[in-house]
Amino acid sequence: MENNAQAALSDGATGNGRFTALLNATGISPTGLTMIIILLVLPFIPPFNQEHILRWLVSAALLGAQAIAFDFTTGYINVVNFGFAAFLGVGAYTSGLLAVNLGLSPWVGIFVGAIPAALIGFLTGLLTLRLRGIFAAVMAWFVGLALLGLTRNLVDLTRGPMGLSTPTLLNTSSNRPYFYIILAMMLITYIVLRKIIGSRYGLAFRAIGQNMDAARASGINPTYYRVFNFTVQCLFAGWLGGFYAHYFGILTPQLMLTARTVEVLAIAYIGGRGSLWGGAAVAFPFIFLIEALRSNLTELPGLHLVIYGLLLVLVMIFYPGGFAAFYKRAVAWVKGLRDR
Amino acid sequence: MLEVKNLNAGYGFLQVLWDVSLKIEKGEFIALVGPNGAGKSTTLKSIAGLVTPKSGDILFKGEAIGGTPANLTCRMGISFVSESLNLFTNMSIYENLLLGAYTIEDKQEQLDTIDFVFNLFPRLKSRRNQLAGTLSGGERKMLAIARGIMSKPSLLMVDEPSLGLAPKLTLNVFDALETLRQGGMTILLVEQNVNTTLHITDRGYVLEQGQIVLEGPSKELLENDHVKKAFLGI
Amino acid sequence: MKDEALLKEPFPVVFRRWMTSAGGITILLTIVVAIIAAIDAGPFIIVNTVVTGGMWALLSLGLSLVFGVMNIPNFAHGEFFLIGSLTAYFTFNPLRLYLKENPSPFLSAIAPLLGIFLAFFVGALLGVILEKLIFSPLRKRSRDQWVMNSFLLTVGISVVIINSVQLTWGANFKGIPNYWNVDPLDFLGVNLSVDRLAAFLLAVVTLIVFWYFMRRTQTGRAVRAVAQDETGALMVGINLNYILSLTMALSAGLAAMAGASLLFIFPAYPTAGLKPLYVAWYVVILVGLGNVSAAVVGGFIVALLQTLTSFYVGTGWEDVIPTAVIIIMLIFKPSGLFGSEVKGIQER
Ligand SMILES: Nc1ncnc2c1ncn2[C@@H]1O[C@H](COP(=O)(O)OP(=O)(O)O)[C@@H](O)[C@H]1O
Ligand SMILES: [Mg+2]
């Protein structure tokens, strides 16, 4: 990762063609690259080098990665996975339980945990995605609630609300290495999903998202692509859940609450639907704002959620493109000024 | 009664009507004919308030109604029977008719009008409890027209009643329109079935590619060379 | 000729058609299961089912109505329930304390109803405000992907309401011991509290009034007309904005009323609306999206399912078992047990 960044620093300035091609292949814009570089050095710059702020950075990157995966489905095939947090929970618990009971290395468990999440996602999708989108949303929610109920009730296995202690990925109390891990996971999520969007699958997604009938008429099988998309989203949710399990070191059923899904959903939308990167971009300032609110206004619990909700409503009504659209407009405006 | 002046209208960026003008006096039976896609339905929708005009005036009883929403034009006395009928398919014939009289407050008046339309279309009377969605094509057309006159309109606009109907049923529908007209109703009829239409109407307008190309008494239009060539296949 | 008796279809015809449909079979099966369970476990099964069932019916009916008429999948529906229970709490509790000091049998008898009816109006008002402030602007801006956009809006609204309630009144439980402080009645060997009986009767009366409104008044017909064909509704002179506001008001009012009526079982606290929301959605998917009358029946079916689950399987499982049931249903009859009245469940 850092090598890459150094390469960026030296080559980017001279405009090396091969490097530009590489950037294009990853789907990261020059501005995006700049942001990534800033994020890479941020943990060493005060005040960001303090542990509690590093923790915020980790949360932000985790939330951003989730928002990217979330937008892959809502932004392209117009299906809301309202049980998203539960799929993340499946990955987290699978990986955690394998580590606790079978001694599987968390580094492997993270990947193994993604499989059941994807499988449940696949089955849910198969069942509902031939119907209107709202069925998938509601059923994913029900499945999520059932999974939450299971983790709460199977106390022998999951220890229920008492919480499951899981081994951490690293043997360190510092948050900095975790930040680099989750940042890398966020970038991988972005690059892989961007690749899919750029392929003929992405074309099919968009066709389905815009006009189901027209897509069908041009020989696309909407159910196939919708199930594929949904499964991939759940796969990534499970994978990110693995990180969750082995970063926090404790799992409670709380992590599967609908409120968690709502948080991801709000960030993805405020970031800009159908942009993929928007959610990741706003996750950082948001987490900082909210953590600052939370620590300064402890007597007002829930205020940050009111802000989430209000912003979601306002964005939906008045600025449906979210931050991504705003950014695009701003860039066009600046270009207009320059060219004048 | 109705005057349309230089109407321009369309859907989004697509302009369909170009400077369309027409005039209808009280009690007249007017035909609006033209080929498929000419903009006949769009004209009716603009008058009914389902399409907002880009420019031009629509005057109804001297009042400008361009852009007035459909529920208000209905209250002013314009009734529109659309091509797709827009029936309430999960309601019975009777309920559809009652809703047709939504703008009429007086209960007795509603029931009297239902009597009137049942006399006009006895077929509907015998099936009054059947759901509209389960009716045959001809029955649906009758119901749509019946519902259209339930609000006691001063202007009735009917869009292609003959579309998809067997000739015999078409005649039934036309007969009913004829009866209504004799009762003093003003009717604007859109049809592709040009021959029959021009035989029963007083005056006609020919619309092609969004523009009025011909107008005049129906009898004269029947003799017109262009009409003969384009629509009557003579 | 000139009377509305015309509207009625002969009863045997309706009945036969019903009993052979999936819906009819479901109802029959539900009754049979309820009776067997009642014999096995005791009549309280039926009493519990019927009491909560009535309120679930009010709740699901409102959710279904808003989906059918406005095409909004409302995820803030539970918050109307919450607002209802809060209203009842803040109306009834001071009254209760006052009556402790100044006993008055008459006031004691009607004080609960006061709270419940006030809840209906507060809920309805909130519904209208949401329609005017939020849904109407979105409708004017764009109707593209309306279902998903409005769904997300309701999610936002729900978050705002839940947390505003928490900010304002804190997270503690606001409940009452009972509405009517009298000895329970003995009914089939079951102790039936007056509160429960009242909740049931209230639900039944409300359902009858609602049914009459929807079927026999022009305004009710107009609501159904908008659900079936919006353009057609405009063409016959129906004021769409008025009907949409009215629908939202009714839906929210009924949910609030359910919340208020059940205050003695479900105290008010910020996330009190989640469970009712889940139930209402469950019912609506189970019986068929947008099918309003089936939602009423569904309320009772789900109440039975819940009662049975918590008695035979144990509490804590009531989210798991119903989900399994609905998955089976979706495999075999995705349009819902009673079929759907919405323009189709397949994605267009
Ligand atoms: N709802 C609509 N959206 C976009 N274009 C439309 C719509 N309805 C009609 N059109 C277009 O407007 C033109 C005129 O249509 P219409 O008025 O229905 O013609 P007519 O009734 O004479 O057959 C056609 O080219 C048609 O494709
Ligand atoms: Mg037409």
Side-chain angles (χ1 to χ4, degrees), chain B residues 40-41 83 159-160:
Chain B
K40 305 181 297 292
S41 301
E83 234 170 318
D159 198 353
E160 304 218 17

Side-chain angles (χ1 to χ4, degrees), chain C residues 17 22 34 39 41 47 52 64 80 92 96 101 112 129 155 159 167 184 209 217 228 259 264 288 300 312 331 348:
Chain C
R17 198 167 62 210
I39 293 169
V47 172
T52 40
S64 193
F80 297 138
F92 180 69
R96 190 167 63 100
E101 306 293 316
I129 291 174
V155 170
V159 172
L167 278 176
V209 170
T217 67
Q228 289 173 29
F264 63 97
F300 288 95
Y312 286 106
I331 291 173
R348 278 157 295 178

Side-chain angles (χ1 to χ4, degrees), chain B residues 129-130, chain C residues 5-17:
Chain B
N129 290 322
Q130 198 175 329
Chain C
L6 278 179
L7 274 175
K8 289 184 198 128
E9 261 179 289
F11 182 70
V13 175
V14 180
F15 188 73
R16 199 164 344 120
R17 198 167 62 210

Side-chain angles (χ1 to χ4, degrees), chain C residues 223-281:
Chain C
V223 172
R224 287 193 290 143
V226 172
Q228 289 173 29
D229 195 315
E230 223 172 82
T231 311
L234 274 173
M235 277 161 36
V236 298
I238 294 170
N239 180 349
L240 209 56
N241 288 331
Y242 168 67
I243 295 294
L244 296 179
S245 295
L246 178 74
T247 305
M248 202 68 199
L250 266 177
S251 165
L254 290 176
M257 192 169 154
S261 310
L262 293 180
L263 182 63
F264 63 97
I265 311 178
F266 299 105
Y269 61 96
T271 51
L274 286 183
K275 172 107 198 160
L277 175 72
Y278 171 74
V279 170
W281 266 106

Side-chain angles (χ1 to χ4, degrees), chain B residues 11 14 16 35-43 45 83 159-160:
Chain B
Y11 306 90
L14 172 75
V16 174
N36 223 334
K40 305 181 297 292
S41 301
T42 308
T43 308
K45 284 187 208 164
E83 234 170 318
D159 198 353
E160 304 218 17

